[in-house]
Amino acid sequence: TAPPGRIAFADLAVPPGEAVVWYLGHCGYAVRTSGHLLIFDYIELEETPGERGLDRGFVDPAEIAGVPVRVFATHEHKDHFDPLVLDWQRTIPDIQYYFGWHGPAGERCHDLRGPRAVLRQPRLEIFTVNSRHAGVDEVAYLVKVDGLTIFHGGDYQGRLERGAASDAVADMRYLREQAGPPDLFFLGAWTGDPYLDIVRGLSPRAVFPGHWRRQEAKYAEFAAELARLGFPQQVALPQRRGDRFVLRAGGVEAVR
């Protein structure tokens, strides 16, 4: 059951080119398009949900079992990948997993470690660019699905080895060639190189910040800094797990 004033997940009808977005804590987001539910970098760590459901910020696989679900993990650090996501396939008939490293094996699992991997499936195209962070391989995803282009960066910095210069400018140019500016853009709430190069290079419609689990007030600081630096993009400001946003032609609107 949805909280007061919100539509239950099963009753959502999303037109092509629009999306509903839930903040799932830290870098985790879920995106409902007209034909899919995409879930990025979902974790629970030490948090114990009182109730499950996207509007409460915790996945209930039974709630989403009726739609095609596509699960993405940018890298294997525990604040970006929680193995519990693999349990969802017991409940969800149409589910696929994508990993930015040599991830878990299975017929529904896909490794996209690249360099610059490309995967095309019915109604879904995925492009990656590569980075290496704190000893592990990682990717940023560009996903084309149901009339939308979605970028999720995880911890992407464009650096392939310690001390190397960032390749973010070249990587963003490559991604723009594949799809043009993203409609939805998910990245850690940082400024400075290479993060400004990533925003500048892709020129997204709407920015969704991440990486400040339980410190979501920092997202407003990030939005203010982008505005001060002259970036025109709208920045969504989640305050807690389960916050919902709607993307329409006019921009992003929070649903409280």
Side-chain angles (χ1 to χ4, degrees), residues 18-29:
E18 298 186 6
V20 179
V21 179
W22 292 265
Y23 175 63
L24 303 180
H26 202 55
C27 293
Y29 280 93

Side-chain angles (χ1 to χ4, degrees), residues 191-213:
T191 54
D193 285 339
Y195 307 107
L196 295 180
D197 289 335
I198 299 169
V199 182
R200 187 180 294 112
L202 289 183
S203 300
R205 286 176 59 194
V207 174
F208 288 78
H211 223 281
W212 286 105
R213 185 171 58 98

Side-chain angles (χ1 to χ4, degrees), residues 23-30 39-43 74-75 79-80 152-155 186-190 208-213 219:
Y23 175 63
L24 303 180
H26 202 55
C27 293
Y29 280 93
I39 300 176
F40 294 93
D41 280 7
Y42 181 80
I43 61 165
T74 56
H75 61 289
D79 63 333
H80 292 260
H152 193 288
D155 282 348
F186 304 97
L187 190 69
W190 307 296
F208 288 78
H211 223 281
W212 286 105
R213 185 171 58 98
Y219 296 151

Side-chain angles (χ1 to χ4, degrees), residues 41 71-76 80-83 85-86 89 96-106 108-114 117 119 126 128 130 137-139 141:
D41 280 7
V71 181
F72 297 80
T74 56
H75 61 289
E76 62 184 305
H80 292 260
F81 170 62
D82 191 326
V85 302
L86 298 170
Q89 59 191 310
Q96 300 281 320
Y97 298 91
Y98 310 95
F99 303 106
W101 72 100
H102 185 55
R108 301 180 180 187
C109 297
H110 309 273
D111 288 352
L112 293 172
R113 28 182 194 160
L119 179 64
I126 306 169
T128 69
N130 301 79
D137 294 326
E138 62 187 359
V139 301
Y141 292 104

Side-chain angles (χ1 to χ4, degrees), residues 121-143:
Q121 297 180 318
R123 299 182 296 147
L124 185 77
E125 291 183 274
I126 306 169
F127 303 87
T128 69
V129 291
N130 301 79
S131 188
R132 188 168 176 83
H133 170 72
V136 302
D137 294 326
E138 62 187 359
V139 301
Y141 292 104
L142 188 78
V143 183

